[in-house]
Amino acid sequence: PTAAAGKSTRGGRITPGEWERRTGLQLRFIYRRRGPSLLVAEGRLNSKGRAVASRSKTGRGLVTAPIFLLVPQVKLRKRLDLARDAERAIDGVPGRIVAGWNP
């Protein structure tokens, strides 16, 4: 979220769905080949720099304000678990000692 998005009601980062519900404005997706794509809103900026709906009938003061920068991300599952592998190795030690024992 950019500064024009504002804060969440819980004080953290606001989501696009929550922003649309709070403001009543639709977000529009803009694809950019270079740099992050955008979610923008048509409206005006209030004195705090937040995007709000324009009440003007003529469209005076309307701006296209970027509300969210979309950064490509992927969640990868955890592949390496050293604690699990160490437990398996420790559990196998007594069996290896007995197997290698020559009386």
Side-chain angles (χ1 to χ4, degrees):
T2 62
K7 294 275 186 195
S8 173
T9 53
R10 288 171 253 120
R13 284 195 265 181
I14 192 167
T15 64
E18 183 182 357
W19 190 89
E20 284 184 334
R21 278 192 304 278
R22 281 180 50 192
T23 61
L25 294 173
Q26 285 287 105
L27 289 171
R28 188 167 45 105
F29 176 75
I30 295 182
Y31 173 76
R32 297 194 311 174
R33 189 179 302 270
R34 295 212 180 264
S37 296
L38 304 171
L39 286 177
V40 300
E42 301 288 333
R44 66 177 183 81
L45 297 178
N46 67 8
S47 60
K48 293 181 180 176
R50 306 269 197 287
V52 294
S54 177
R55 293 190 300 254
S56 172
K57 301 286 188 234
T58 62
R60 195 176 117 258
L62 276 181
V63 294
T64 301
I67 307 299
F68 292 95
L69 302 176
L70 302 177
V71 181
Q73 287 184 341
V74 175
K75 290 259 188 185
L76 296 176
R77 66 179 182 84
K78 192 172 181 181
R79 290 181 144 168
L80 183 63
D81 188 0
L82 293 177
R84 181 195 63 211
D85 296 339
E87 279 295 320
R88 284 184 186 163
I90 289 171
D91 291 343
V93 168
R96 288 184 181 171
I97 291 173
V98 171
W101 194 270
N102 289 332

